[in-house]
């Protein structure tokens, strides 16, 4: 654990922003103000932050339908995101995309995605582009345990190997794809990483509920890929604290499962315990961040509520031609 | 007659046909849900609740929960169909056809023709389509435009629970591949459904939802309800509209369309798919070609604009054809002589 005090505070802050952003959305969605489908990332914060803390804006990421955490970790603006989810024309995508399609190319964030498995080949393309540029940058694709069953993911892994693209496949195994368990949908395979191994990639595995496990593992993965060894894959074992989408009654969960994972597998709790236990930070340090983050989120919600709504004419903008 | 929801008409028809014919099997993502998880063998029964209870009745050999692998789902349906089964594959959202397009377009649809008529391919591919949920560009599309353009496929778009029952039963008993499009905003719609276990509706037979002699309005799915509301409103002013529910876009019931236009001389086609190379244009061309002499006004098409589907509530409602836009189009046809 060689992180500076600043880096530790920053990592905690970013995880906390994701957590509160989502906990707040969970509440706000009940009011009916937010339209569409929303998939919350809560529980998986250590993965997004532990991965993206190593990246610069010139490194690219491609996200999933559960994209808020990846967006925030990669540097997307909290207010711009909140406004987008609210459907405002001031949102990051002018209210055209919503929760599932947030993108910010200036931050190297090539988009959340409504199509499961669609991100992996896009990341391979981005990685090939970065390889051509020769600056040692990488492209990362996040995929769930469900997405790893798509042909696009398999094709992308093979193409990355063939082209030696600096692409990293980050598999977030939260044990469910929608309502179907990982043990069923991934079949007899013992995990996802072994699939990447079969394509000839070097793979890593880490505990996705432990920021330090993610962070240290990613350091190794990135050293390997930035050195020009071609693609790599890493699987993080993690948990999702809410349903597949907001409104999911979660009948597929075991009895007491949610309480248990919140109690024992909460990456924010684990972070706090480990840094205070090692006397790197105090509870007061972290409490101060908590308070500041709550204010940030409150301000973002207020700004989203007050932001300009789109007008009917906006339907016809940003398309090359409309009839 | 039983009163039931559109979604229940789907489940009950599948259940009845699976009961009747052991070769009927179902497959799709999360159609069981909860497999291999603490929540038990059937936790979901499909995200639209269109397979609820089927797993308990028919078991894992006939109700097959699949991974998220649309190519494999459609391809497996093709293989099942070529091997003597009658698969019903569920694609969840119609937008996901993109992932499995080759299996639909180059395989399933073409077997019978390419194999010189030696094989039939009795597969039903069900999917939920349409806007109305602010689900944005990748989860709201109407795909009948693309699929209707593919030779080898029958394309069905029921607008009422009774039509679900009659058209789905026909699809399951059909020896050819059928695309069965369920509008996601209609799943909760209630209506009377005939009890007769052999009630079927043949393809290529449109339904006259309203009758009148002044203007013909042609539509299907969610927008059909808007057209009916416009017809009811105009009836109060003494303007009579034929509202035609297409039911199937392939085959297309040309006769009902042309018979109506020959009487009214005016037509408005209302479609949820984008305007270019689409159903509305196709039907306008048909009318221009075969009923030109009867026309008193140019055929009108009411469709969304040629853009992807936006997310925000205000944008989605501006995108979708509304009752107001349909009414304006009807009045425009009436403004000619
Ligand atoms: C091509 C495609 N098929 C199906 C879906 C519906 N869908 C959305 S998310 C999801 C589950 C994804 O599971 P996983 O990859 O494990 O990610 P997680 O939800 O666990 O983050 C499914 C089936 C989709 N959006 N796109």
């Amino acid at each position: 654990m060689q992180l500076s005090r600043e880096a530790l505070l920053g990592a905690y802050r970013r995880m906390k922003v994701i957590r509160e952003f989502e906990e707040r959305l969970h509440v706000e969605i009940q009011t009916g103000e937010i339209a569409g489908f929303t998939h919350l990332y809560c529980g998986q914060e250590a993965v997004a932050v532990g991965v993206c803390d190593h990246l610069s804006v010139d490194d690219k990421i491609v996200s999933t339908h559960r994209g808020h955490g990846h967006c925030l970790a990669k540097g997307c603006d909290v207010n711009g995101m909140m406004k987008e989810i609210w459907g405002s024309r001031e949102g990051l995508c002018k209210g055209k995309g919503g929760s599932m399609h947030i993108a910010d190319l200036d931050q190297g964030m090539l988009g959340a995605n409504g199509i499961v498995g669609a991100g992996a080949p896009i990341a391979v393309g981005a990685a090939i582009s970065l390889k051509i540029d020769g600056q040692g940058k990488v492209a990362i694709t996040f995929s769930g345990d469900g997405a790893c069953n798509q042909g696009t993911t398999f094709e992308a892994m093979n193409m990355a190997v063939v082209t030696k693209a600096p692409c990293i496949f980050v598999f977030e195994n939260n044990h469910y794809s929608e309502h179907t368990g990982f043990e069923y949908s991934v079949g007899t395979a013992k995990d996802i990483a072994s699939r990447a191994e079969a394509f000839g990639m070097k793979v890593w595995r880490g505990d996705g509920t432990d920021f330090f496990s993610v962070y240290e593992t990613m350091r190794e993965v990135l050293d390997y890929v930035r050195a020009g060894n071609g693609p790599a894959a890493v699987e993080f074992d993690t948990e999702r604290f809410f349903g597949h989408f907001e409104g999911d009654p979660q009948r597929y969960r075991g009895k007491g499962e949610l309480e248990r994972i919140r109690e024992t597998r909460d990456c924010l709790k684990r972070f706090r315990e480990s840094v205070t236990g090692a006397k790197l930070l105090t509870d007061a340090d972290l409490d101060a961040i908590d308070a500041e983050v709550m204010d940030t989120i409150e301000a973002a919600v207020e700004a989203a509520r007050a932001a300009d709504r789109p007008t009917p004419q906006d339907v016809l903008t940003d398309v090359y031609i409309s009839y | 007659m039983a009163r039931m929801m559109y979604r229940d008409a789907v489940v009950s028809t599948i259940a009845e046909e699976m009961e009747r014919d052991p070769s009927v099997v179902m497959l799709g993502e999360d159609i069981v849900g909860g497999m291999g998880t603490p929540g038990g063998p059937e936790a979901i029964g499909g995200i639209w609740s269109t397979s609820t209870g089927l797993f308990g009745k028919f078991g894992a050999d006939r109700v097959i929960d699949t991974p998220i692998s649309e190519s494999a789902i459609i391809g497996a349906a093709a293989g099942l169909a070529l091997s003597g089964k009658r698969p019903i594959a569920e694609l969840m959202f119609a937008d996901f056809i993109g992932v499995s397009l080759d299996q639909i377009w180059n395989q399933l649809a073409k077997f019978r023709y390419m194999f010189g008529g030696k094989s039939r391919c009795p597969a039903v591919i069900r999917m939920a389509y349409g806007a109305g949920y602010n689900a944005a560009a990748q989860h709201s599309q109407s795909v009948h435009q693309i699929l209707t353009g593919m030779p080898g496929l029958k394309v069905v778009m029921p607008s009422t629970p009774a039509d679900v029952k009659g058209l789905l039963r026909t699809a399951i008993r059909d020896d050819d591949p059928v695309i069965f499009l369920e509008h996601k905003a209609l799943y909760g719609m209630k209506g009377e459904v005939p009890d007769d276990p052999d009630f079927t509706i043949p393809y290529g037979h449109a339904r006259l939802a309203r009758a009148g002699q002044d203007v013909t309005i042609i539509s299907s799915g969610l927008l059909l309800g808007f057209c009916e509301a416009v017809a009811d409103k105009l009836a109060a002013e003494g303007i009579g509209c034929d509202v035609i529910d297409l039911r199937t876009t392939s085959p297309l019931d040309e006769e009902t369309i042309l018979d109506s236009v020959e009487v009214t001389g005016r037509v408005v086609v209302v479609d949820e798919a984008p305007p270019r190379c689409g159903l509305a244009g196709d039907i306008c061309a048909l009318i221009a070609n075969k009923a030109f002499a009867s026309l008193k006004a140019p055929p009108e098409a009411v469709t969304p604009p040629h853009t992807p589907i936006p997310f925000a509530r205000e944008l989605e409602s501006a995108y979708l054809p509304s009752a107001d836009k349909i009414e304006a189009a009807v009045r425009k046809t009436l403004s000619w002589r």
Side-chain angles (χ1 to χ4, degrees):
Chain A
M1 210 188 290
Q2 321 102 312
L3 282 162
S4 70
R5 182 183 157 81
E6 254 50 68
L8 288 172
L9 288 169
Y12 181 77
R13 185 175 197 285
R14 283 183 283 280
M15 288 198 288
K16 186 71 180 172
V17 165
I18 300 173
R19 173 65 54 89
E20 291 310 326
F21 189 92
E22 300 246 304
E23 291 280 4
R24 184 66 184 265
L25 277 181
H26 180 67
V27 172
E28 294 295 337
I29 281 164
Q30 325 291 329
T31 69
E33 241 180 281
I34 297 169
F37 297 126
T38 327
H39 306 83
L40 299 184
Y41 186 72
C42 213
Q44 305 181 208
E45 296 88 345
V47 179
V49 176
V51 169
C52 293
D53 266 11
H54 291 285
L55 307 180
S56 74
V57 283
D58 299 324
D59 295 304
K60 316 280 186 192
I61 68 164
V62 182
S63 177
T64 67
H65 59 287
R66 200 175 299 290
H68 304 159
H70 306 140
C71 292
L72 288 165
K74 191 68 174 62
C76 292
D77 174 47
V78 178
N79 288 330
M81 283 185 55
M82 198 66 94
K83 287 176 183 175
E84 184 60 31
I85 293 165
W86 240 265
S88 160
R89 71 199 302 254
E90 296 173 18
L92 268 184
C93 305
K94 303 185 194 165
K96 294 261 183 64
S99 162
M100 253 191 300
H101 310 104
I102 294 177
D104 190 347
L105 272 62
D106 295 339
Q107 298 296 335
M109 200 288 149
L110 308 191
N113 212 310
I115 302 298
V116 170
I122 297 170
V124 174
I128 293 173
S129 166
L130 294 168
K131 184 181 162 207
I132 293 169
D133 294 345
Q135 304 292 316
K137 300 296 173 195
V138 303
I140 292 185
T141 175
F142 292 94
S143 312
D145 44 294
C148 82
N149 294 318
Q150 283 286 24
T152 41
T153 306
F154 282 73
E155 291 172 31
M157 288 199 282
N158 191 51
M159 188 149 137
V161 169
V162 167
T163 59
K164 288 196 113 201
C167 185
I168 301 171
F169 296 82
V170 173
F171 292 108
E172 290 182 80
N173 186 348
N174 63 13
H175 316 129
Y176 294 100
S177 55
E178 287 204 342
H179 321 99
T180 299
F182 156 78
E183 295 83 354
Y184 178 78
S185 70
V186 179
T188 52
K190 69 179 193 306
D191 62 7
I192 304 167
S194 54
R195 295 183 172 189
E197 226 158 12
F199 282 100
M201 261 186 264
K202 191 163 157 64
V203 304
W204 281 259
R205 296 174 177 84
D207 180 351
T209 67
D210 174 7
F211 171 80
F212 297 101
S213 166
V214 176
Y215 190 83
E216 291 306 326
T217 308
M218 275 316 285
R219 188 201 300 281
E220 286 177 30
V221 178
L222 279 154
D223 283 350
Y224 173 84
V225 174
R226 289 200 203 276
N229 288 305
V234 51
E235 174 173 357
F236 292 114
D237 186 30
T238 183
E239 304 288 349
R240 109 164 115 68
F241 285 177
F242 288 111
H244 168 60
F245 61 97
E246 282 303 89
D248 171 7
Q250 304 195 66
R251 286 191 294 267
Y252 50 88
R253 294 264 196 194
K255 203 162 178 278
E257 180 179 329
L258 281 169
E259 294 74 9
R260 179 181 54 74
I261 60 176
R262 283 254 190 192
E263 189 51 41
T264 63
R265 304 258 295 152
D266 180 339
C267 55
L268 276 145
K269 252 191 202 168
R270 291 189 65 182
F271 185 97
R272 183 181 278 259
E273 280 161 16
S274 83
V275 292
T276 54
K279 304 230 181 313
L280 295 168
L281 297 174
T282 63
D283 276 318
D285 292 331
L286 300 171
D287 292 346
I289 292 179
D290 288 354
E292 179 209 324
V293 168
M294 296 308 271
D295 291 345
T296 305
I297 299 301
E298 180 60 38
V301 169
E302 279 169 25
R305 276 216 170 92
D308 276 359
R309 302 303 306 172
T311 65
Q313 298 83 275
D314 293 333
V315 172
L316 304 180
T317 60
D318 296 317
V319 66
Y320 73 105
I321 188 168
S322 62
Y323 301 95
Chain B
M1 290 276 217
R3 207 172 151 70
M4 66 174 77
M5 275 194 265
Y6 189 94
R7 69 154 52 80
D8 298 331
V10 175
V11 196
S12 61
T13 309
I14 295 173
E16 288 153 16
E17 291 303 298
M18 287 184 80
E19 198 84 60
R20 196 185 67 90
D21 179 352
S23 66
V24 178
V25 299
M26 198 183 169
L27 68 165
E29 295 161 12
D30 268 325
I31 62 169
V32 179
M35 298 277 290
T37 62
E42 184 191 289
I44 292 300
I47 64 154
W48 309 109
S49 304
T50 48
S51 47
T52 312
L54 298 180
F55 182 78
K57 257 192 213 127
F58 301 102
D61 274 353
R62 294 184 65 197
V63 180
I64 306 162
D65 216 9
T66 68
I68 313 178
S69 311
E70 287 81 8
S71 282
I73 294 170
I74 305 301
L80 280 157
L82 286 183
S83 313
K85 298 290 184 286
R86 292 186 172 273
I88 305 172
E90 179 174 301
L91 255 198
M92 208 181 262
F93 284 76
D95 311 70
F96 308 159
I97 58 162
V99 182
S100 61
L101 207 53
D102 182 66
Q103 293 294 336
I104 295 182
W105 182 43
N106 275 323
Q107 312 306 328
L108 200 75
K110 292 179 177 165
F111 288 154
R112 179 175 165 191
Y113 190 79
M114 290 192 304
F115 300 167
K118 288 195 199 120
S119 69
R120 305 304 286 263
C121 193
V124 182
I125 315 287
R126 296 178 36 243
M127 52 191 104
Y129 76 101
Y133 272 93
N134 308 105
Q138 298 176 332
H139 281 72
S140 307
Q141 295 166 97
S142 289
V143 296
H144 56 279
Q145 175 175 31
I146 300 166
L147 296 164
T148 303
M150 289 179 191
L153 298 175
K154 296 176 183 173
V155 181
V156 185
M157 304 176 74
S159 309
T160 67
D163 278 6
V164 167
K165 175 74 52 175
L167 293 166
L168 184 54
R169 197 175 270 127
T170 305
I172 298 170
R173 296 181 186 185
D174 198 311
D175 282 336
D176 289 313
V178 177
I179 305 289
F180 199 84
L181 299 167
E182 297 158 21
H183 199 295
K184 61 174 84 81
L186 293 179
Y187 276 128
M189 178 199 221
K190 281 191 179 146
E192 299 287 326
V193 173
D195 300 320
D196 175 3
D198 286 316
F199 165 66
T200 53
I201 298 172
Y203 290 170
H205 288 258
R207 175 176 72 96
L208 196 62
R210 292 287 184 282
Q213 31 281 334
D214 301 316
V215 184
T216 303
I217 309 178
I218 300 169
S219 190
S220 67
L222 176 70
L223 302 181
L224 186 86
F226 298 8
C227 299
E228 290 173 315
V230 168
D232 291 344
K233 181 178 173 193
L234 295 177
E237 292 178 27
I239 301 165
C241 300
D242 262 1
V243 178
I244 295 175
D245 177 0
L246 286 174
R247 281 180 168 157
T248 63
T249 59
S250 185
L252 183 72
D253 182 355
E254 296 191 4
E255 200 178 309
T256 299
I257 296 171
L258 296 172
D259 284 353
S260 172
V261 174
E262 270 154 25
V263 174
T264 61
R266 297 180 166 91
V267 64
V268 177
V269 190
V270 182
D271 191 26
E272 203 179 313
R276 294 301 312 279
C277 302
L279 185 67
D282 187 59
I283 293 174
C284 289
L286 168 80
I287 292 165
N289 190 243
K290 297 197 176 161
F292 185 69
S294 319
L295 285 176
K296 299 174 194 152
E300 284 291 320
V302 185
T303 70
H306 188 69
T307 71
I309 301 170
F311 162 68
R313 283 200 174 103
E314 294 88 338
L315 293 176
E316 192 188 67
S317 29
Y319 171 91
L320 269 180
S322 61
D324 286 348
K325 288 181 204 162
I326 298 165
E327 185 184 334
V330 172
R331 290 193 191 279
K332 193 168 162 202
T333 65
L334 288 163
S335 72
W336 288 75
R337 274 165 295 156

